């Protein structure tokens, strides 16, 4: 088994794909009520042999779930299925599903002794979902990249959308005291609290982007230099996506294909 969370039904295996966008690596969550004969796997992560082997060893796997379509979360699905044989794969994006219908908001799934409620949480990507898992008296919510263990999330514009993301944060703000089982980095003990902090951070950034524009910033690169003056070069592209998302939020009719 991987690292334990505070929840008896949830543990994670961290993939060896650290980087500026993935923090220490992707967290693959293994969900199963104590004593359950099977598990559900959330986000197999990258196609790393040893990582997939460890996921397989945590099985038998009853269902694979994906929080969203980004490759650091889903690219390992094929390799995992090669090891396990046929296991259904559920995601909001129909292109990623195998053997089951796409996930929709408020779907309820019973798997491995755990009840999973699907929350459509677009913003980071258009297909992002959070998975609110309950086993007995315990609850935890798999947040993918919508809430991270450290720092804040990129709105991967143009697929991601800042208006959607703000609405998502307001929805997650209602999950007081529910641990956020994050897609990268450590567990966050209180999803509701973090969602409110993220919301406040976004609101601050929007004020800064407005200030940059009124000070004469014209291009996304200008705005990045103004809002994030000391940014590590590896993070500049991510900051540009976020700034483009903010600019699109202020001017929603602007052409998303013009960069
Ligand atoms: Zn992502």
């Amino acid at each position: 088994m991987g690292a334990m969370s505070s929840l008896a039904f949830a543990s994670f295996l961290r993939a060896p794909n650290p980087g500026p966008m993935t923090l220490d690596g992707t967290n693959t969550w293994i969900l199963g009520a104590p004593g359950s004969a099977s598990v559900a796997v959330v986000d197999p992560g990258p196609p790393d042999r040893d990582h997939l082997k460890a996921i397989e060893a945590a099985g038998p796997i009853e269902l694979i779930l994906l929080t969203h379509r980004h490759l650091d979360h889903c690219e390992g699905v094929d390799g995992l299925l090669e090891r396990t044989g046929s296991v259904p794969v559920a995601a909001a994006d129909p292109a990623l599903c195998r053997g089951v219908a796409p996930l929709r908001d408020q779907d309820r799934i019973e798997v491995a002794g755990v009840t999973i409620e699907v929350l459509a949480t677009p913003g980071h990507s258009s297909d992002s979902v959070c998975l609110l898992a309950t086993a007995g008296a315990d609850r935890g919510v798999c947040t993918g990249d919508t809430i991270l263990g450290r720092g804040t999330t990129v709105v991967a514009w143009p697929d991601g959308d800042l208006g959607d993301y703000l609405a998502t944060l307001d929805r997650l703000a209602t999950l007081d005291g529910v641990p956020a089982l994050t897609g990268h980095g450590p567990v966050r003990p209180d999803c509701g609290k973090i969602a409110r902090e993220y919301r406040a951070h976004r609101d601050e950034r929007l004020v800064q982007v407005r200030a940059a524009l009124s000070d004469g910033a014209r291009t996304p690169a200008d705005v990045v230099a103004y809002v994030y003056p000391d940014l590590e070069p590896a993070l500049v592209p991510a900051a540009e996506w976020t700034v483009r998302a903010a600019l699109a939020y202020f001017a929603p009719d602007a052409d998303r294909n013009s960069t």
Side-chain angles (χ1 to χ4, degrees), residues 157 247-258:
W157 189 85
L247 297 176
Y249 179 69
F250 288 137
D253 297 330
D255 180 1
R256 290 194 170 218
N257 295 315
S258 77

Side-chain angles (χ1 to χ4, degrees), residues 21 67-73 124-125 128 144-146 153-154 156 184:
M21 300 297 295
T67 58
H68 66 299
R69 61 169 74 96
H70 289 162
L71 290 180
D72 59 318
H73 293 259
H124 167 70
S125 66
S128 285
D145 285 354
T146 297
T153 293
V154 165
H184 303 276

Side-chain angles (χ1 to χ4, degrees), residues 26-118:
T26 302
N27 295 333
T28 295
W29 283 94
I30 311 290
L31 307 181
S36 168
S38 63
V39 299
V41 170
V42 178
D43 291 349
D48 175 85
R49 191 172 163 275
D50 290 340
H51 182 64
L52 297 179
K53 206 167 152 184
I55 298 171
E56 182 191 12
I61 301 169
E62 191 178 334
L63 177 65
I64 297 168
L65 297 131
L66 300 172
T67 58
H68 66 299
R69 61 169 74 96
H70 289 162
L71 290 180
D72 59 318
H73 293 259
C74 70
E75 198 179 8
V77 167
D78 287 345
L80 183 58
L81 292 177
E82 271 168 33
R83 293 178 164 276
T84 60
S86 162
V87 173
V89 180
D93 181 347
L96 297 175
C97 292
R98 310 221 183 173
V100 289
L103 298 176
R104 291 207 300 205
D105 191 43
Q106 296 185 322
D107 279 354
R108 283 177 90 84
I109 300 164
E110 302 289 339
V111 60
V114 178
T115 302
I116 294 174
E117 185 188 344
V118 177

